[in-house]
Amino acid sequence: MPEPVETYSPDGVDYGWVMQVTFVTTIVIGAPLVALIAFFSGVSLPTWASRVSFAVRIGAIVWFVTAICVFFYARRQQAD
């Protein structure tokens, strides 16, 4: 019989949950958002290096905003 899985009951915000939700949300919503920004911004992206650089710069902003929003959501839900 397998060993039972340990449970975790954090005091305060569960940062593991925040990071998991941030990761999934950024991929599901952030990737298409970066593509739309690249398409509608009118920025010339002729090489793969410029495309990657653009995606990293915009993706970092999207990741940060998503993480802050998820953290405040988790903190609000934990307070209730």
Side-chain angles (χ1 to χ4, degrees), residues 34-80:
V34 170
L36 287 173
I37 291 171
F39 182 74
F40 289 114
S41 68
V43 176
S44 176
L45 301 170
T47 64
W48 280 105
S50 64
R51 293 173 189 159
V52 169
S53 176
F54 179 84
V56 168
R57 285 182 281 138
I58 300 300
I61 295 168
V62 171
W63 181 279
F64 183 74
V65 170
T66 304
I68 296 298
C69 292
V70 171
F71 172 77
F72 283 120
Y73 172 80
R75 191 171 80 172
R76 188 185 65 192
Q77 293 298 342
Q78 185 264 335
D80 291 344

